[in-house]
Amino acid sequence: MEHGSFTDNSAATFSLTEEDHTLANAVRFTLNQDPRVTFCGYSIPHPSNARVNIRVQTTGDPAREVLKDACQDLMLMCRHVRSGFDKAVEDFKASNAVKAMKIDSQDSDSEESE
Amino acid sequence: MAGQGEERGEEKKKFSIWDLPDVPAGQLPPHLELQRTRVLCNKDAPIHTESVLYSGAYASMGVDNSLRLDHFCHNFRVEVVRLTEEDMEFDMIGIDAAIANAFRRILIAELPTMAIEKVLIANNTSVVQDEVLAHRLGLIPISVDPRLFEYMSENDQPNEKNTIVFKLHVHCKRGSPRITVKSDELKWLPNGSELIKESRKVASDSASKPETYTSFSCSQDTLPEFANNPIAPKYPDIIISKLGPGQEIELEAHAVKGMGKTHAKWSPVATAWYRMLPEVVLLEEVEDDLAEGLKSKCPVNVFDIEDLGKGKKRATVARPRACTLCRECIRDEEWEKRVAIHRVKDHFIFTIESTGALPPEVLFTEAVKILEDKCERVITELS
């Protein structure tokens, strides 16, 4: 839900239900890194209500588009994190398998020498 | 890392505001770079703890602080340190605390698992009261992939897609010693509840199956996912209760899918946490007796002593990762000018301990997926 002025769409407050610091703080981070944003912040009006208000003020672009871009950025970052993580885990598992094999072979070597 | 920090420490000492070039050089002066990338843990309190988010924060220096996606992709790195069946430790480098914290919060509160939610007690003569027993059962981790199940909403009938039924029936005979009821006594009932619902009217149609507390349309063990791995508690030796002679527990436990923010029993992690990478910097050469002193100050053995020959000794930073930030090394007079303790703001040592439903590496990828879904929801709502 968007609250803003009819004439000036460069500043608006977005009210998201069923969200908390998890998304709001991450989006605030990506919003702040966008050069089009002059101000952004979020608040949780009451801790019992699952709702956050995200305030976005821009240099002129529609706040809605800027927020959308920020979410898009965050999504792409997540995607990159996931692929990077999966790759690291795969590499780790592969290298460990090799290590385990080496240990086994060393053991067998020592047994043979005994 | 330590070498880099040492250089920076020296630069900081020599730095004077008058040496700054008149024209922005396109890169931050060392003291600002230090503020931006490190938390300085001083004797009294840590400073520069915040991360500089605003894209124009260094505009006057000619430095663009905005995040470009390709830049992020280029710098982001993951290094796995330890990976076992139930826990893992990995380094996440080049990411902001806001996002690392989002992952942590999702891991704890928003990843679903299966846990016992409803307990139908037929008989309980043990010393453990019904409600306490039910609570204890709820906390037992169940080894089953929650992705194979659906959430049960208020009006749903419990069926094979959203409920797992366990039976527990233990009886301690008179004259025999006390027995301990452990979690392996929870027996999976793939066909659903066996307790028959008491209906006011006598069933007119005696041929139909009696109504129970669940309505399974088929047995769960005919489903391909569970055909060869029966559902059971993750650990067989969790103590549920103790029974004296003549005492008995007979109950049925229904496990459903849920999330950690409703109740901690649904949290898939025992703990998930991160810490920033510690960086210990020697600002000047610490030699001989001072070096020995420094080495013995540190309770986690961060420092080592290097032999320079001719009876000369020098302290080196050998294991900065072990630093717990106790600040014992800079507590005494004069030491703050010799040793500096930093934390690297974009380097997170992330640890995940799984309770057993899913392996830790799967938990993390699922958490990232959930954050993606959240973003997507906002995007679709805005367009």
Side-chain angles (χ1 to χ4, degrees):
Chain A
M1 195 172 28
E2 182 177 350
H3 301 281
S5 143
F6 285 114
T7 50
D8 178 17
N9 58 6
S10 73
T13 302
F14 300 88
S15 192
L16 309 179
T17 52
E18 304 301 320
E19 291 298 349
D20 58 358
H21 298 281
T22 308
L23 182 71
N25 196 25
V27 168
R28 185 188 65 123
F29 165 74
T30 47
L31 273 172
N32 255 324
Q33 304 252 308
D34 191 328
R36 293 174 294 176
V37 174
T38 52
F39 173 84
C40 82
Y42 76 93
S43 79
I44 293 178
H46 195 282
S48 312
N49 304 333
R51 170 183 294 279
V52 285
N53 294 338
I54 300 177
R55 176 73 181 171
V56 184
Q57 290 170 210
T58 70
T59 51
D61 299 76
R64 169 184 285 261
E65 295 305 316
V66 172
L67 180 63
K68 229 159 73 181
D69 286 351
C71 288
Q72 188 73 34
D73 269 0
L74 186 58
M75 207 162 83
L76 292 174
M77 279 165 83
C78 285
R79 218 164 270 170
H80 182 74
V81 168
R82 210 170 72 204
S83 65
F85 178 80
D86 285 345
K87 200 175 160 293
V89 167
E90 230 167 74
D91 288 352
F92 182 80
K93 279 181 177 168
S95 70
N96 256 35
V98 171
K99 258 184 229 162
M101 265 156 54
K102 271 183 191 155
I103 290 166
D104 287 347
S105 63
Q106 272 169 4
D107 282 354
S108 57
D109 287 347
S110 60
E111 275 165 25
E112 278 163 23
S113 61
E114 280 167 12
Chain B
M1 193 64 79
Q4 202 185 339
E6 266 166 45
E7 273 169 34
R8 203 169 277 133
E10 276 165 28
E11 273 171 29
K12 192 186 170 191
K13 253 192 293 175
K14 279 184 243 156
F15 176 76
S16 151
I17 192 85
W18 302 109
D19 297 340
L20 278 182
D22 295 336
V23 184
Q27 89 187 58
L28 285 180
H31 67 296
L32 285 184
E33 186 64 21
L34 190 72
Q35 279 185 17
R36 194 178 72 83
T37 57
R38 301 286 187 275
V39 177
L40 307 186
C41 302
N42 291 346
K43 197 158 88 175
D44 47 353
I47 56 168
H48 307 311
T49 52
E50 74 293 332
S51 50
V52 181
L53 296 181
Y54 178 48
S55 59
Y58 301 115
S60 63
M61 300 277 174
V63 177
D64 180 17
N65 193 40
S66 67
L67 179 91
R68 278 141 304 155
L69 207 59
D70 54 332
H71 194 249
F72 168 79
C73 292
H74 184 68
N75 284 330
F76 179 75
R77 225 165 65 235
V78 175
E79 281 162 21
V80 181
V81 177
R82 186 179 75 241
L83 175 62
T84 65
E85 230 171 79
E86 58 244 1
D87 73 331
M88 80 179 297
E89 183 179 321
F90 60 94
D91 287 20
M92 241 191 330
I93 305 152
I95 198 164
D96 189 76
I99 295 171
N101 192 40
F103 294 149
R104 184 192 63 87
R105 286 176 62 97
I106 291 172
L107 276 169
I108 292 171
E110 296 188 42
L111 267 181
T113 54
M114 304 294 288
I116 291 169
E117 166 73 351
K118 227 177 237 169
V119 178
L120 312 173
I121 295 180
N123 187 15
N124 174 22
T125 52
S126 77
V127 289
V128 182
Q129 296 95 323
D130 290 3
E131 65 274 22
V132 179
L133 188 65
H135 181 244
R136 288 179 71 78
L137 288 168
L139 296 173
I140 293 172
I142 296 165
S143 165
V144 60
D145 190 341
R147 290 171 291 187
L148 305 170
F149 288 88
E150 291 164 1
Y151 287 104
M152 186 164 80
S153 52
E154 235 169 82
N155 306 321
D156 275 355
Q157 275 294 310
N159 61 28
E160 77 280 357
K161 291 254 174 57
N162 59 26
T163 308
I164 305 171
V165 183
F166 292 98
K167 180 176 83 172
L168 184 135
H169 190 183
V170 198
H171 177 59
C172 184
K173 285 201 186 69
R174 280 192 187 281
S176 62
R178 282 191 301 262
I179 56 171
T180 306
V181 184
K182 293 190 173 163
S183 51
D184 59 345
E185 297 282 351
L186 279 170
K187 298 283 182 261
W188 178 40
L189 298 180
N191 293 309
S193 175
E194 287 173 351
L195 294 177
I196 292 161
K197 239 181 194 167
E198 284 175 32
S199 47
R200 299 228 173 81
K201 278 181 245 162
V202 180
S204 53
D205 187 6
S206 58
S208 74
K209 269 202 298 187
E211 203 184 342
T212 64
Y213 284 89
T214 56
S215 42
F216 280 24
S217 62
C218 68
S219 169
Q220 277 172 338
D221 57 7
T222 58
L223 301 173
E225 302 91 22
F226 308 124
N228 292 318
N229 55 338
I231 302 170
K234 173 75 179 170
Y235 303 99
D237 54 351
I238 301 170
I239 296 174
I240 296 170
S241 168
K242 294 203 176 189
L243 295 183
Q247 294 179 343
E248 183 177 4
I249 296 177
E250 183 181 3
L251 57 82
E252 218 175 70
H254 293 205
V256 299
K257 189 171 173 175
M259 280 198 298
K261 60 179 164 191
T262 319
H263 190 288
K265 68 185 174 185
W266 278 299
S267 187
V269 290
T271 45
W273 80 91
Y274 59 77
R275 62 192 184 107
M276 283 181 271
L277 180 78
E279 182 189 67
V280 182
V281 181
L282 296 175
L283 298 175
E284 59 180 40
E285 297 283 319
V286 179
E287 289 175 333
D288 299 333
D289 287 351
L290 281 176
E292 290 286 352
L294 182 61
K295 186 170 187 275
S296 60
K297 269 175 200 286
C298 184
V300 287
N301 251 329
V302 166
F303 303 99
D304 251 352
I305 289 185
E306 195 179 45
D307 231 325
L308 296 176
K310 295 181 207 158
K312 275 260 190 192
K313 280 179 280 188
R314 188 173 66 183
T316 56
V317 182
R319 287 166 291 273
R321 212 182 151 91
C323 178
T324 57
L325 206 75
C326 64
R327 289 178 278 176
E328 192 62 26
C329 49
I330 53 173
R331 199 164 60 95
D332 290 334
E333 289 290 314
E334 297 279 287
W335 276 96
E336 216 172 5
K337 72 176 199 318
R338 297 190 187 116
V339 183
I341 308 174
H342 301 162
R343 301 235 132 180
V344 184
K345 274 184 198 172
D346 67 346
H347 187 139
F348 296 95
I349 301 171
F350 216 103
T351 314
I352 301 172
E353 278 176 22
S354 165
T355 53
L358 290 172
E361 72 272 19
V362 177
L363 286 177
F364 187 80
T365 40
E366 289 296 310
V368 180
K369 269 186 211 161
I370 286 178
L371 188 58
E372 268 172 59
D373 292 345
K374 281 172 179 285
C375 295
E376 213 172 302
R377 199 198 115 196
V378 175
I379 293 171
T380 48
E381 254 172 56
L382 285 176
S383 39

